[in-house]
Amino acid sequence: MAKSLVMSTIIMPSENATTSNPIVCFSTNMITTPDIFKLGHQKPHLYSFTLFLMQLMLVISTTQGTHFLLRPLKLPRHISEIIGGFLLGPSVLGRVPKFALIIFPQRSIFLLESLSYMGLIYYIFTIGLEIDLPSIRSSGWRCFWFSLACTIPPFALAAVSGVTLHKKLDERSNQVAFVLFISVSFSVSAFSVLARTVAELKLGSTELGRLTLSAAILVDSFAWINLSAAVAISESGGVTLSAIFTVIAGTGFYIVCFALLRPMMQKLSKRAISGNEPLRESEELAILVGVLVSAFLGDLIGIHAVFGAFTFGLAIPQGPLSALLVEKLDDFVRGIFLPLFYVISGLRMDISSIKQVDLALYIAMLVLVAALLKVLGGVITAAAYDMQMHDGISFGLLMNSKGVIELVMLTVGINKKIIGSQSFTILVIMSVVLTAMVNPLLDSMVKPTRRLVFYKRRSLRWHDPGSELRIVACVHNPREVPALIAIIDCTVPTKHMPVSVSVVQLIELTGHTPALLLLQDPMSRKAKYGSHLETQSAAVSHAFQSYAQITGGVQVRTSAAISPFVTMHEDIVTETENCHAAMVLLPFHMHLAVDGSLEIASHVAVRNVNKKVLDNPPCTVAVVIDRGIGSISAHGTALHVGILFFGGPDDCESLALADRMSNHPAIEICVVRFIPTNGSTSTSSLISEDAELRERNMDEQCLCQFVERSTIAAIEYREHVVSNAEETVEVIRKLESEGKDLLLVGKEQGLAGSRLIAGMNEWSEFPELGPIGDLLVSADFGATCSVVVIQSPLGGYGFADGSSVRMKPDRREDPVSDRR
């Protein structure tokens, strides 16, 4: 009896047992480990549930570790996870003695495969949720012809070569099913993966991006229909009548889902949009159980369980209901169940199963030719529609993006015995290789490179007061909106001095971002999803549009940029160049807390976004540190503004902004100029001396222009002669204590001014704000006013040709005249 407990697996001969399909017997009472400290129980891997936990931890750690290691190659996450599953399979770690016997014994595969299929069903269900069928009808004939041009050539190539492959591979499946299946695998794309690729390449708002995503929906729908037909033919065992019944049953299942289920789901979605009654727990549970029922019926009638779940997902209309289901399922399914699916696929991949190397190379060549045919189809169709060849090549490359869907289809094929282990291994390897080849080409050809030669770096100082002032306002969350509107209002927009504002809401692209959000701009739609994201987008858009209607002289255009924080700065620069903006408003990554201190506003990565924009500013950049300026502006009270002028390009830009503010009747301006004492400076060369002289002349010119252009008497000008950083801080503290609501300061203080802040950089907490900006934000300083830190373009004082450039200060003594 004791031996029967330890012998967990016994391969027993039987009439129905074969070498590839043995009968596996194991003890029914060995589920959980009783006690590892108990004698005779030192092998926890013999117990089924304990073994499953070990496998799950190994699978997740391996797939995550592989993704981390391969991240520099910029491969899609699913490719890294497939490689992780391959490492755990028989081709790599499976060759280690007793590894497969201990970690992945035959008795555990049933549980792993069942759970992986459970996750796969819900994942395919979410894919169906993300496909908007009405968008196919509204995409037009151009989308249809593009999708046809990228589908028919590889489909025909596979159909012609499929008969030969079926014979050479010695496949025992139905020949028609095999040819149809190979044709699908050659022509399929992956909409969910492609949507994120389009977003990462900043193509979501372009005509090419929208065309590609719409065509991918058509191609995927075509692939699923043909896959279900291939499965039906294979399951019929060559009996034509059985295959016909399966296709009819599958068609009937599709009709029932859309005729009965879709109207019910539309009612739930409309109710969720209205906000009168949220989705009840019982209704949510019924939908999740409905996925299982649909999968069961799909498997029962012979079209496979994943097709049943996919059809059920298609039946649910786009809206808050689909967004809620994706949000609830995505993290758990992608994080737990999908890695199990990758491992099961990896266990099926066996390099040793490839017996004919020449045949494997032939299949690889066919896959590459199919990929080239997709590109060629895109180029020909683009030429037919008078589009550039570059767009056609880009479209073809994007349609070659492979995803989990192809692996799912290959898994369905091997499970239904349409293809064998050799074909499965070759096709999965080629999918990984093709993706690895396509991605670098996408980065070099598709990713937009800005060649706006006619666009000169603009600034406030060289902006014509009578022309339209163009501003890009970046928003991460609605809380930042009042301060941004207050700064825009300070520029005094009128019909004679118009202001054009491009509002960009920056949204982080995550793994569970709904793919349809990448196809359409969430700020331009009327809360179709009803999600928290769209609620925020609507609030931001409404606030700026309302301000434009009330003020007059302001034109507002709202848009959204969905991308990871790592590349979010590229969206800001792109928008700035597209609209030829003179100034970009960036909200600081911290906001005012209840106790008066500053705390992280939305995400710490926002700080890195600001840093990258400041490192290479496309125009004047203003970082807004809000301490309640929005509420002051909203109440219509007088706004007390102080300008800290040390000299240099950045301070001249802050003076140019103050020049615009001087036309506002409710703004009182105080300009404080800091002048170094005699003997407080030194230069080490004639070149540095000449540069400082040029800077001093430009500073004088800026101040003279400011005084001449100022038409309102509420302007105060002061000069303070200081010799070191301590005296500088004391003057700033005194000015802030006078009750200023807003301080304007340049990020850098020029050649002469930099000597007055010597040593302040050593203890800087936020170096991207410069020494003075960092001082005003510091909790130790205790400032209570809002701050705008301004950086001019890298061209120095704002010349279009960039003739005056920034120069680092030197340390030789040089007398500077005192002014009081």
Side-chain angles (χ1 to χ4, degrees), residues 5-6 8 30 32-36 38-48 50-51 54 98 102 107:
L5 292 176
V6 179
S8 58
M30 297 185 66
T32 59
T33 306
D35 190 351
I36 61 172
K38 198 171 182 179
L39 294 177
H41 294 284
Q42 290 84 9
K43 297 181 179 179
H45 64 274
L46 296 179
Y47 298 85
S48 59
T50 308
L51 176 62
M54 292 170 56
K98 295 187 178 180
I102 295 175
R107 59 188 170 85

Side-chain angles (χ1 to χ4, degrees), residues 64 395 555 790:
Q64 294 293 330
F395 179 85
Q555 290 185 351
I790 298 177

Side-chain angles (χ1 to χ4, degrees), residues 457 472 474 476 506 565-574 576 583-587 605-623 747 768 791-794:
R457 295 186 183 273
V472 172
C474 302
H476 293 279
L506 302 168
F565 282 120
V566 177
T567 60
M568 195 171 284
H569 65 285
E570 296 177 5
D571 294 310
I572 300 173
V573 173
T574 298
T576 303
M583 182 170 65
V584 176
L585 297 179
L586 297 177
V606 173
R607 180 184 179 185
N608 292 328
V609 176
N610 292 349
K611 283 182 178 180
K612 291 178 180 179
V613 176
L614 290 167
D615 286 343
N616 189 23
C619 63
T620 297
V621 179
V623 182
K747 177 185 174 182
E768 68 271 18
Q791 177 175 343
S792 67
L794 293 179

Side-chain angles (χ1 to χ4, degrees), residues 746-799:
K747 177 185 174 182
E748 296 180 11
Q749 280 64 51
L751 298 177
S754 61
R755 294 187 292 275
L756 304 180
I757 56 173
M760 294 179 63
N761 285 323
E762 297 178 0
W763 44 270
S764 179
E765 184 179 2
F766 304 105
E768 68 271 18
L769 300 180
I772 301 299
D774 176 78
L775 173 72
L776 295 172
V777 173
S778 171
D780 296 332
F781 186 77
T784 58
C785 62
S786 299
V787 181
V788 175
V789 179
I790 298 177
Q791 177 175 343
S792 67
L794 293 179
Y797 278 89
F799 292 122

